[in-house]
Amino acid sequence: MGETEQRPTAGSRLGAQENAGISTLEHGQKPPMTPPGKLVSIKIQMLDDTQETFDIPQRAPGKVLHDAVCNHLNLVEGDYFGLEFPDHKKMMVWLDLLKPVMKQIRRPKHVVVKFVVKFFPPDHAQLQEELTRYLFALQVKQDLAQGRLTCNDTSTALLLSHIVQSEIGDFDETIDREHLAKNKYIPHQEALEDKIMEFHRNHMGQTPAESDFQLLEIARRLEMYGIRLHPAKDREGTKINLAVANTGILVFQGHTKINAFNWAKVRKLSFKRKRFLIKLRPDVNSSFQDTLEFLMASRDFCKSFWKICVEHHAFFRLFEEPKPKPKPVLFSRGSSFRFSGRTQKQVLDYVKEGGHKKVQFERKHSKIHSIRSLTAQPSEQHTEVPKQSARAYGDNNDAAAVQSCRQGKELKASTEDTGQHKSPSLKKSPKEGRKVDGAVVSTVEEEEEPAKDRMQQNRPQSQQPSTAGSLTGSPHLSELSINSQGGPSVANMTLSPNLSPDAKQSSPLVSPLLNDPSCIRADDEEEVKRKRFPTEKAYFMAKEVATTERTYLKDLEVITSWFQSAVSKEDCMPETLKNLIFSNFEPLHKFHTGFLKEIEQRLVLWEGRSNAQIKGDYQRIGDVMLKNIQSMKQLTVHLRKHNEILMELENGIKNSRKLETFCRDFELQKVCYLPLNTFLLRPLHRLMHYKQIMERLCKHYPPSHIDFRDSRAALAEISEMVAQLHGNMIKMENFQKLHELKKDLIGMDNLVIPGREFIRLGSLSKLSGKGLQQRMFFLFNDILLYTSRGLTASNQFKVHGHLPLYGMTMEESEEEWGVPHCLTLRGQHQSIVVAASTRAEMDKWTEDIQMAIDLAEKSSGPAPELLASSPPDNKDPLSVSDCSSLPAGLISDQRPVSISYVCWYRMQSLSFYDILQSNENQLSGNLLRKFKNSNGWQKLWVVFTNFCMFFYKSHQDNHPLASLPLLGYSLTLPSESENIHKDYVFKLHFKSHVYYFRAESEYTFERWMEVIRSATSSASRPRALSHKEPHAY
């Protein structure tokens, strides 16, 4: 017999590097030794019921076989899965990854090993990969067929309707009946067929990936989800079943759960012959004995269940893989078994760091082609999962094993790999010299926020704004999104951080869109230009006025041009509201257009492009500022109207569904790179910018300077205007933030009420029966909300519960719960335990929660009925209407990624004081940008606002090409070892992502450092809001 032909995997046919799956080794470690020798064939049954054969060395440990299967599937999150097989007593056991395979499977020719889900997480949203969720969905389908996942008829029909949607697409009665007749998902399916089709009718437009997501959301609420029953008896001899889950050990009578022992309550697990022992932590409120004893069928059954419990506890509760115990010198007591592999936390961290590459995969039973990223168009090439024998190791077994395990950590993509198979929608411009990285298979990562048109379908851009549809987003933040500049020749695309900057290739910002010949890249040319211009500090202050004024004018045009043009085409806004908005913004736009021209003319004279520089008459800016600030005071009547504008617009949106839809669609346009309400508050923010610049100018000038007197007079004038409007601005900022959060939350319809003040939002871990779970917390002056990431593609958060602050107490409880940075919050009716990621985060929350409690004690607080729409804690009843009304298919109301979403993924928090500071710390200007391994510097127009850097080709562009949220980033100076031999360079880095930016002068360098530092680190702050001055509106 000849050797089985080696055929490529699905990933390799797409041009992807081989993925080693999810290696459990740290960087630099070697895998278990796999001595060369005779190869043994092991048959593996996959979750789609296909069988694959893997050849491994005879003495290879179980981990080699597990990694080979994950590598064959290009599976990144492989640690959730395991291999099970019948032992010599026909008992199903899990393959031990540390022991040799042949010592566990004695007769491999007669044994079929099953690749199945081993660890079921509490929330399937923790599964970052579409392929992983697909495999979990197959497991649910298998459990339904085998009768392991039991539920009522309604839930069963709803589950099957999502399976049918993922396999045949949208509802068609004839096709549905034929499909259900050919495919028997459960015994006695005929009785449920009408109900299945009734539910299937509601899933129109739902993609296979979304169907998997909905299927798992329903399944995880069922009592038997992920449960494998192990027969046992209690001390009285009553027949029961034991099971283990992510929360702890469960006790069933039949299929009904009668008891549960959470991991936090379990002190020790052990077994003695047939007896399984659970030693509990002492609890005065508990009626249980200190040690519980259960009798199982045999010692082997007992030991097998004990091993499963040990593995579940380690996977879900530990931060890292437990270290092996030292071998005893003489005698050994007990089992040496330990959990081997990554814990769930390590898997989540690995995927979030982007140490992998995403490729296409084939759904065996689905007629709908799917790829891992929901944001990309499907490839033309149809790929199939190979059905051949997959040889895990060739002649050089050790080298292959090392390469297999390292690739999971060090996988890098190349331009050629990602560019071989184009989507039908991609057209290459004849002027482009190369393909854009990641343009074919879009990947979605955590690190950087995409610009708006990643969420929109590619359409030719007209002169006036047009509302584009949006594609359903993945639950992650993408690395960078590059957008076409006013032409249909390049499709919208999302780029992975793996494609740059570590690999020597084009990075996301170094693309044909940004590598335009007009971009100045030569260092020598930049040096010559710098020497030609003035070098005094006052000149760069004046230049800052000009650069920020350009951005401010563009922001005004969003309202006066783009928004007004869109409103005129739609009959959705009352005439009174139109007049109120545009009659107050048009005078501002007209005034600042003339103001910018004056500043630019002064800079031309200052730079010496006329003989006026010799006389020194124009080397100042104070006189221009004084003249225009005095004229600006006449516009105060318009600035005072912003309060009314904001409230009337929100009232109009509340009362008109058509206006609400219109405003939501407008926010999806490229030009609206911030929430619409933020643009309405821009004129108030701009006053503070003028004040800051004049304060720096007066501090810089000596009293004898020719420009000092005008500058000081201008400062006095602008300070007076700010003082008059500052209180109103804070109220409007709070009002705007409440409405922005209302869009982010599901289950809290009455968030905006008189007297409510926003204080802080951020990610904390909440201790529950399922262990520590990430939750998003929102703190107000009267209530604390905690939420989880919802199921919608618009990145919303679902409210799980709330705690009124009136009567609340707070205490540190690290010692009580054994969790670092832990707080216990005790309300009048409920208590919760939360943990922060760092001591600094805990201190911020402690300070703000205590402040909020004090505010609540001094006020009467909102009436109880105001919170009626918020669901009670941990009460998520399964209902057909809830599940079927979730968005499906192409979603036209896809909102931009919000600050709340960034805080969730970066594990950060943000206070209202931080937001007020960010309004003052806005900056615009040209910067040179460089990646870690790129050559040369690229000139970009950069706008910093709202804790984010927006990148433009030039200041004349109407919308950004890409964006980079800075929350969680570190701001430092490059070290000597980085070989950045340039002046005025600062470095931004987050995990493996490194960016260098270079300013033109010492002053601009210091200014960029100052404003970016305000976004990357939160300083200690005074109480931003006083209970004596509530935000009434």
Side-chain angles (χ1 to χ4, degrees):
M1 292 177 65
E3 185 175 310
T4 306
E5 181 184 356
Q6 180 80 11
R7 289 193 289 172
T9 65
S12 63
R13 288 203 306 273
L14 289 170
Q17 297 184 29
E18 283 299 317
N19 184 2
I22 188 82
S23 170
T24 61
L25 298 175
E26 296 298 329
H27 183 67
Q29 287 185 320
K30 293 185 178 180
M33 294 298 293
T34 56
K38 184 179 178 181
L39 297 178
V40 179
S41 295
I42 306 292
K43 286 178 286 186
I44 306 291
Q45 181 171 323
M46 301 297 185
L47 282 164
D48 60 359
D49 296 327
T50 61
Q51 282 193 10
E52 305 286 349
T53 302
F54 293 85
D55 296 333
I56 62 172
Q58 197 169 27
R59 297 193 299 181
K63 181 184 178 335
V64 170
L65 180 59
H66 184 269
D67 284 354
V69 177
C70 294
N71 181 39
H72 171 70
L73 294 173
N74 283 306
L75 180 61
V76 176
E77 298 171 297
D79 281 283
Y80 289 103
F81 301 84
L83 299 168
E84 66 171 359
F85 64 95
D87 65 1
H88 61 286
K89 295 183 180 180
K90 303 301 180 182
M91 182 178 71
M92 296 301 293
V93 295
W94 293 104
L95 185 73
D96 192 326
L97 300 185
L98 296 179
K99 289 184 178 180
V101 174
M102 295 307 297
K103 285 190 176 182
Q104 303 178 69
I105 306 176
R106 302 297 174 88
R107 303 176 66 188
K109 291 184 179 179
H110 304 283
V111 173
V112 176
V113 181
K114 293 184 177 181
F115 180 77
V116 293
V117 177
K118 187 175 185 179
F119 301 111
F120 291 81
D123 185 1
H124 64 278
Q126 295 173 339
L127 305 175
Q128 308 294 318
E129 286 277 289
E130 183 184 329
L131 173 58
T132 313
R133 292 192 290 273
Y134 168 60
L135 295 176
F136 266 73
L138 290 179
Q139 183 68 65
V140 171
K141 178 181 173 183
Q142 195 176 97
D143 289 347
L144 281 170
Q146 295 173 357
R148 187 179 290 163
L149 180 59
T150 58
C151 53
N152 59 40
D153 289 348
T154 301
S155 297
T156 302
L158 188 56
L159 289 168
L160 294 181
S161 69
H162 285 293
I163 294 175
V164 172
Q165 174 71 22
S166 70
E167 292 185 357
I168 65 174
D170 290 341
F171 174 78
D172 183 290
E173 186 171 355
T174 304
I175 298 175
D176 272 36
R177 292 197 181 277
E178 291 178 359
H179 184 77
L180 290 172
K182 293 178 182 178
N183 298 272
K184 298 299 179 183
Y185 297 107
I186 56 171
H188 313 297
Q189 177 179 293
E190 296 79 7
L192 293 178
E193 286 187 0
D194 290 338
K195 189 172 287 189
I196 293 170
M197 290 192 293
E198 180 185 344
F199 289 145
H200 185 205
R201 191 190 305 269
N202 298 325
H203 305 328
M204 294 292 289
Q206 194 166 280
T207 65
E210 291 172 320
S211 297
D212 293 344
F213 202 80
Q214 305 294 347
L215 176 74
L216 296 177
E217 171 62 18
I218 299 165
R220 76 179 181 91
R221 305 180 189 208
L222 302 175
E223 198 164 64
M224 296 300 295
Y225 174 63
I227 296 299
R228 295 191 175 205
L229 299 177
H230 300 259
K233 294 181 180 180
D234 62 10
R235 283 184 173 178
E236 286 73 33
T238 305
K239 291 184 179 181
I240 58 170
N241 290 306
L242 296 180
V244 62
N246 55 78
T247 57
I249 298 172
L250 311 177
V251 184
F252 287 82
Q253 202 158 38
H255 287 81
T256 304
K257 185 170 69 173
I258 60 174
N259 214 333
F261 303 101
N262 292 336
W263 294 124
K265 297 178 182 179
V266 177
R267 182 179 175 187
K268 183 180 180 181
L269 295 174
S270 60
F271 70 96
K272 291 182 180 179
R273 298 182 179 87
K274 297 181 182 181
R275 292 181 298 151
F276 181 74
L277 305 173
I278 305 175
K279 192 168 186 178
L280 302 176
R281 298 184 185 276
D283 187 355
V284 294
N285 299 322
S286 175
S287 60
F288 294 119
Q289 301 175 5
D290 179 57
T291 302
L292 301 174
E293 183 178 313
F294 300 93
L295 191 66
M296 306 194 81
S298 66
R299 180 185 181 278
D300 289 342
F301 272 103
C302 195
K303 184 176 182 180
S304 175
F305 182 65
W306 173 78
K307 283 183 176 181
I308 297 170
C309 293
V310 170
E311 290 180 315
H312 272 74
H313 176 268
F315 183 77
F316 289 108
R317 296 283 289 181
L318 300 185
F319 288 149
E320 58 185 17
E321 179 184 356
K323 297 179 181 179
K325 298 178 181 179
K327 291 185 179 180
V329 179
L330 296 176
F331 305 102
S332 63
R333 291 189 60 189
S335 173
S336 61
F337 176 79
R338 66 180 178 88
F339 171 72
S340 172
R342 284 189 170 139
T343 65
Q344 187 190 30
K345 182 180 184 302
Q346 289 176 309
V347 176
L348 292 173
D349 291 345
Y350 171 80
V351 177
K352 285 184 178 181
E353 287 173 2
H356 63 281
K357 175 184 174 183
K358 302 187 179 185
V359 297
Q360 290 181 315
F361 68 91
E362 168 84 7
R363 294 172 181 266
K364 177 175 180 284
H365 302 287
S366 178
K367 299 178 182 179
I368 308 170
H369 190 76
S370 176
I371 63 174
R372 291 198 181 193
S373 173
L374 300 181
T375 58
Q377 298 293 334
S379 172
E380 282 181 314
Q381 180 168 343
H382 186 72
T383 60
E384 296 181 357
V385 178
K387 303 293 187 290
Q388 81 286 2
S389 167
R391 184 174 298 275
Y393 299 98
D395 299 331
N396 190 343
N397 297 300
D398 288 336
V402 171
Q403 182 182 8
S404 173
C405 292
R406 284 183 180 175
Q407 280 178 339
K409 287 287 279 184
E410 301 175 4
L411 191 61
K412 300 294 177 184
S414 68
T415 308
E416 291 74 22
D417 289 340
T418 57
Q420 286 183 356
H421 304 289
K422 285 192 175 184
S423 167
S425 64
L426 288 175
K427 303 285 185 180
K428 184 173 179 182
S429 171
K431 294 184 180 180
E432 294 174 14
R434 63 177 183 274
K435 300 172 185 175
V436 182
D437 297 352
V440 179
V441 181
S442 296
T443 62
V444 183
E445 287 300 328
E446 176 221 2
E447 298 309 330
E448 287 152 273
E449 177 185 356
K452 292 302 172 60
D453 53 343
R454 183 186 76 91
M455 298 304 199
Q456 302 167 355
Q457 296 179 12
N458 186 43
R459 299 180 180 183
Q461 183 178 349
S462 61
Q463 291 182 353
Q464 297 297 337
S466 61
T467 303
S470 59
L471 292 175
T472 303
S474 171
H476 323 299
L477 294 175
S478 70
E479 168 63 13
L480 265 183
S481 179
I482 305 299
N483 308 303
S484 176
Q485 179 67 23
S489 60
V490 182
N492 301 321
M493 55 204 80
T494 307
L495 302 176
S496 167
N498 303 3
L499 305 180
S500 64
D502 296 328
K504 290 190 176 182
Q505 56 193 4
S506 294
S507 59
L509 283 179
V510 183
S511 68
L513 298 172
L514 295 179
N515 273 349
D516 190 270
S518 62
C519 292
I520 300 177
R521 297 177 56 88
D523 294 337
D524 293 339
E525 183 177 350
E526 195 64 31
E527 292 292 340
V528 171
K529 185 176 180 181
R530 184 184 302 169
K531 292 176 182 177
R532 191 170 65 239
F533 290 137
T535 57
E536 61 263 35
K537 191 174 181 178
Y539 164 77
F540 292 106
M541 291 182 185
K543 194 170 182 180
E544 181 184 341
V545 177
T547 55
T548 53
E549 192 73 12
R550 288 170 184 163
T551 300
Y552 173 53
L553 205 57
K554 284 289 183 183
D555 289 347
L556 289 179
E557 288 173 1
V558 172
I559 302 297
T560 59
S561 296
W562 297 83
F563 188 60
Q564 186 174 13
S565 174
V567 166
S568 64
K569 297 176 183 177
E570 299 284 343
D571 184 21
C572 60
M573 183 179 288
E575 287 297 326
T576 53
L577 183 56
K578 287 183 187 178
N579 295 333
L580 179 63
I581 295 175
F582 303 122
S583 65
N584 284 285
F585 268 84
E586 287 173 350
L588 294 175
H589 180 266
K590 182 178 179 181
F591 171 80
H592 286 280
T593 301
F595 184 22
L596 177 60
K597 288 180 180 178
E598 282 193 51
I599 297 173
E600 289 178 336
Q601 289 172 0
R602 176 57 58 91
L603 287 176
V604 168
L605 298 173
W606 201 331
E607 289 165 1
R609 283 178 260 178
S610 76
N611 293 330
Q613 187 194 20
I614 302 174
K615 302 177 182 179
D617 295 337
Y618 297 102
Q619 293 181 349
R620 54 179 179 166
I621 193 65
D623 58 333
V624 177
M625 296 299 294
L626 177 60
K627 172 192 169 185
N628 284 277
I629 289 173
Q630 288 174 341
S631 301
M632 204 182 301
K633 294 184 75 173
Q634 301 174 9
L635 300 174
T636 306
V637 61
H638 298 295
L639 297 175
R640 292 185 184 277
K641 288 284 188 178
H642 284 61
N643 185 338
E644 185 181 351
I645 290 173
L646 204 56
M647 288 193 296
E648 288 300 323
L649 180 60
E650 289 298 340
N651 288 335
I653 290 173
K654 184 178 179 180
N655 297 325
S656 170
R657 179 61 63 88
K658 188 174 182 181
L659 180 58
E660 179 187 5
T661 303
F662 169 78
C663 291
R664 186 170 62 239
D665 290 343
F666 181 78
E667 284 190 330
L668 297 178
Q669 296 194 31
K670 305 174 191 178
V671 71
C672 191
Y673 65 101
L674 296 172
L676 179 60
N677 285 346
T678 303
F679 291 103
L680 297 177
L681 293 176
R682 272 293 188 252
L684 298 176
H685 298 162
R686 187 59 178 157
L687 295 180
M688 294 186 298
H689 303 162
Y690 294 143
K691 182 186 175 188
Q692 281 188 340
I693 292 174
M694 297 315 300
E695 285 175 344
R696 285 193 295 272
L697 199 60
C698 290
K699 188 176 180 180
H700 168 67
Y701 283 144
S704 58
H705 195 279
I706 188 175
D707 202 25
F708 178 76
R709 187 173 180 178
D710 288 340
S711 298
R712 189 172 61 177
L715 175 60
E717 296 280 0
I718 194 65
S719 298
E720 181 183 351
M721 290 183 65
V722 169
Q724 293 174 359
L725 298 169
H726 186 67
N728 190 49
M729 188 204 68
I730 292 181
K731 293 177 183 179
M732 287 301 96
E733 199 66 47
N734 180 72
F735 182 80
Q736 187 270 337
K737 192 62 185 176
L738 289 178
H739 277 280
E740 185 180 336
L741 293 179
K742 181 182 175 182
K743 298 175 185 177
D744 287 340
L745 298 177
I746 303 174
M748 190 71 181
D749 298 329
N750 49 5
L751 183 68
V752 185
I753 61 174
R756 177 164 288 163
E757 301 170 2
F758 165 70
I759 297 178
R760 178 174 287 277
L761 63 82
S763 176
L764 294 172
S765 296
K766 178 179 175 289
L767 187 63
S768 65
K770 299 179 180 180
L772 283 175
Q773 291 187 304
Q774 186 182 1
R775 292 286 179 260
M776 193 70 182
F777 281 75
F778 298 86
L779 176 65
F780 303 92
N781 64 331
D782 60 339
I783 189 175
L784 177 66
L785 301 177
Y786 53 95
T787 68
S788 66
R789 198 189 66 196
L791 301 178
T792 68
S794 53
N795 303 326
Q796 292 173 293
F797 294 90
K798 183 178 180 180
V799 176
H800 277 254
H802 64 269
L803 274 79
L805 298 182
Y806 186 80
M808 179 186 284
T809 60
M810 175 178 57
E811 61 184 34
E812 294 190 18
S813 51
E814 294 186 13
E815 296 182 1
E816 179 181 356
W817 298 101
V819 179
H821 322 308
C822 182
L823 287 173
T824 299
L825 304 175
R826 304 185 189 278
Q828 292 182 339
H829 305 290
Q830 180 187 359
S831 298
I832 63 172
V833 179
V834 298
S837 56
T838 64
R839 168 59 64 175
E841 279 294 307
M842 177 183 172
D843 292 341
K844 293 175 188 176
W845 278 103
T846 303
E847 178 184 347
D848 283 347
I849 291 175
Q850 188 59 57
M851 180 188 75
I853 292 174
D854 294 342
L855 291 175
E857 293 292 336
K858 296 175 182 179
S859 63
S860 58
E865 62 268 18
L866 293 173
L867 305 176
S869 65
S870 180
D873 184 29
N874 292 333
K875 302 293 183 182
D876 296 321
L878 178 63
S879 64
V880 176
S881 60
D882 288 342
C883 296
S884 62
S885 62
L886 293 170
L890 295 178
I891 300 176
S892 61
D893 60 345
Q894 176 70 50
R895 297 183 60 241
V897 178
S898 66
I899 287 293
S900 304
Y901 199 61
V902 178
C903 288
W904 168 269
Y905 271 99
R906 302 272 175 86
M907 298 291 288
Q908 298 290 314
S909 70
L910 206 61
S911 71
F912 185 65
Y913 177 79
D914 297 328
I915 294 171
L916 293 179
Q917 288 294 104
S918 74
N919 293 335
E920 299 179 11
N921 292 315
Q922 299 181 22
L923 195 60
S924 308
N926 287 309
L927 285 175
L928 298 175
R929 195 254 29 249
K930 178 185 182 299
F931 283 116
K932 184 163 58 177
N933 294 327
S934 62
N935 297 319
W937 297 79
Q938 184 180 12
K939 187 176 181 181
L940 296 169
W941 177 262
V942 183
V943 174
F944 173 79
T945 184
N946 207 32
F947 305 97
C948 188
M949 295 177 79
F950 295 92
F951 302 99
Y952 299 75
K953 199 172 181 181
S954 75
H955 68 84
Q956 297 173 339
D957 291 352
N958 290 321
H959 58 82
L961 297 170
S963 61
L964 175 63
L966 295 185
L967 289 174
Y969 266 76
S970 297
L971 175 66
T972 58
L973 299 178
S975 62
E976 289 290 335
S977 60
E978 292 172 282
N979 296 321
I980 306 294
H981 304 298
K982 298 292 180 183
D983 296 330
Y984 316 131
V985 175
F986 58 90
K987 172 184 173 184
L988 282 169
H989 55 98
F990 178 77
K991 294 184 178 178
S992 60
H993 305 279
V994 180
Y995 307 93
Y996 301 100
F997 293 94
R998 182 174 156 207
E1000 63 177 343
S1001 68
E1002 182 179 0
Y1003 172 79
T1004 51
F1005 167 77
E1006 291 173 352
R1007 284 289 294 136
W1008 279 107
M1009 291 281 286
E1010 178 185 349
V1011 298
I1012 291 176
R1013 190 177 288 113
S1014 70
T1016 56
S1017 61
S1018 298
S1020 59
R1021 60 224 170 278
R1023 183 173 299 182
L1025 304 175
S1026 170
H1027 64 274
K1028 297 179 182 179
E1029 298 178 359
H1031 298 159
Y1033 26 85

